[in-house]
Amino acid sequence: MTKPKIEVINDLLGYEGLKIIQRPDIFNFSLDSTLLASFVTINKQDKFIIDLGCGNGYIPIFLTLRTSAQLIGVEIQEEIADLAKRSVEYNALQKQITIYHNDLKDIYKLVGSSKFDVVTCNPPFFKYASSSNVNESVYQTIARHEVMANLDDIVKVSNILLKDKGTLAMVHRVDRMMEVIDTFKKYHFEIKRLRFVYPKKTSSEALSILIEAKKKGSSGGLKILKPLYVYDEENQYTDEILQIFNYKKDDGKCLKGKKR
């Protein structure tokens, strides 16, 4: 007998009036997605933004807090894309956000090429082989491992989607940073901003890295921003993380999500 599908409707962090539909058994939004949506540079003149591998639509919905641009989310897993579509409808954002259930590798055939001002992506972090030890659901495997799309696929299609000087913003694992840099260069992206994310100030290693690059950008001008610390020494979110979440220090709330 199959287990019933249990959905929950959560607040979008501390942002009053925005909700997100989640399936705890298969997919919740993540800290990485939140940090990426906060990190990416968006200008007033930007008109078209696309999020590759959008999951349940969290990044496009979050970005409505920052821009009036048209937003597109692309998700290959049908059930998760359906969550995203219904979250958009629940928030009455259909005029600003469109969700596509589609393979990101050929999404440009539907939405156009050399059109977008910004591409965002919280990609699968882990390489995948038939011998990989994967002890999780197929939904989580596809979201976390490079089963349906790898780093090269994502950067390649970003080059096709973006206008010249358009922005590609991504979050990734630090241990793959050199591969990320090489892949960006392969597809003519010049990295402009980097920020390392650490669990705590006392942590010996960074968790992840936030990266922003320009398609056919001029060489030079790289900025390495100050480190971002997630927790303080009492294992509470730091003031900066609370500000990103739009929480007050005494709210006592936590991020109800996990890395996808």
Side-chain angles (χ1 to χ4, degrees):
M1 184 175 180
T2 58
K3 293 182 179 179
K5 299 175 182 179
I6 299 173
E7 293 184 353
V8 295
I9 300 175
N10 293 134
D11 294 330
L12 194 112
L13 300 171
Y15 295 97
E16 187 175 351
L18 286 180
K19 304 287 185 179
I20 190 86
I21 302 172
Q22 310 218 76
R23 279 270 306 277
D25 62 318
I26 61 170
F27 193 92
N28 287 340
F29 69 83
S30 70
L31 173 64
D32 293 318
S33 293
T34 306
L35 299 184
L36 178 62
S38 174
F39 169 79
V40 61
T41 300
I42 298 176
N43 297 311
K44 289 183 179 179
Q45 65 267 30
D46 291 339
K47 295 181 180 180
F48 298 101
I49 299 172
I50 187 166
D51 183 46
L52 302 177
C54 71
N56 60 350
Y58 175 77
I59 287 179
I61 292 171
F62 187 103
L63 289 180
T64 64
L65 298 164
R66 301 188 55 201
T67 182
S68 58
Q70 288 296 304
L71 298 157
I72 287 175
V74 186
E75 174 54 48
I76 197 168
Q77 299 193 72
E78 186 173 7
E79 285 189 78
I80 298 174
D82 180 64
L83 290 177
K85 290 176 182 179
R86 288 189 287 117
S87 285
V88 169
E89 293 168 0
Y90 193 94
N91 290 288
L93 291 170
Q94 302 96 311
K95 291 184 178 180
Q96 188 177 5
I97 301 175
T98 303
I99 303 295
Y100 287 87
H101 167 226
N102 203 85
D103 190 331
L104 64 84
K105 294 191 292 291
D106 60 6
I107 188 62
Y108 63 91
K109 296 177 183 178
L110 291 176
V111 301
S113 58
S114 301
K115 170 182 176 179
F116 290 86
D117 302 289
V118 178
V119 171
T120 58
C121 185
N122 176 8
F125 279 180
F126 303 103
K127 292 179 179 289
Y128 181 80
S130 57
S131 59
S132 295
N133 182 16
V134 177
N135 185 22
E136 52 194 5
S137 74
V138 64
Y139 302 102
Q140 294 168 340
T141 297
I142 290 173
R144 295 173 178 169
H145 296 260
E146 293 180 333
V147 177
M148 305 302 294
N150 61 28
L151 177 63
D152 192 272
D153 295 327
I154 292 164
V155 182
K156 179 180 179 179
V157 77
S158 296
N159 177 279
I160 296 171
L161 290 165
L162 283 166
K163 300 175 180 177
D164 287 353
K165 314 301 182 184
T167 296
L168 169 58
M170 183 181 292
V171 58
H172 220 297
R173 286 174 58 89
V174 172
D175 63 7
R176 293 188 67 183
M177 186 178 81
M178 296 311 299
E179 181 186 354
V180 171
I181 291 171
D182 289 344
T183 307
F184 275 37
K185 286 188 175 296
K186 176 181 177 181
Y187 291 105
H188 311 294
F189 285 96
E190 190 73 24
I191 296 175
K192 295 298 184 182
R193 297 169 69 230
L194 294 175
R195 192 173 192 188
F196 293 92
V197 182
Y198 289 80
K200 296 180 179 180
K201 285 186 178 180
T202 55
S203 299
S204 60
E205 297 180 0
L207 273 176
S208 57
I209 186 168
L210 296 159
I211 307 163
E212 187 173 272
K214 292 287 186 182
K215 176 183 173 181
K216 297 183 180 178
S218 57
S219 61
L222 170 64
K223 295 180 181 179
I224 298 180
L225 307 183
K226 66 180 183 179
L228 176 57
Y229 302 106
V230 178
Y231 299 105
D232 63 22
E233 296 316 303
E234 297 178 350
N235 292 317
Q236 302 296 316
Y237 286 123
T238 60
D239 288 347
E240 185 171 7
I241 293 294
L242 289 173
Q243 185 176 7
I244 291 170
F245 293 172
N246 201 34
Y247 287 163
K248 296 178 182 178
K249 195 154 190 172
D250 59 353
D251 275 351
K253 298 178 180 178
C254 63
L255 180 65
K256 296 180 179 178
K258 53 188 176 183
K259 177 70 191 81
R260 66 174 176 86

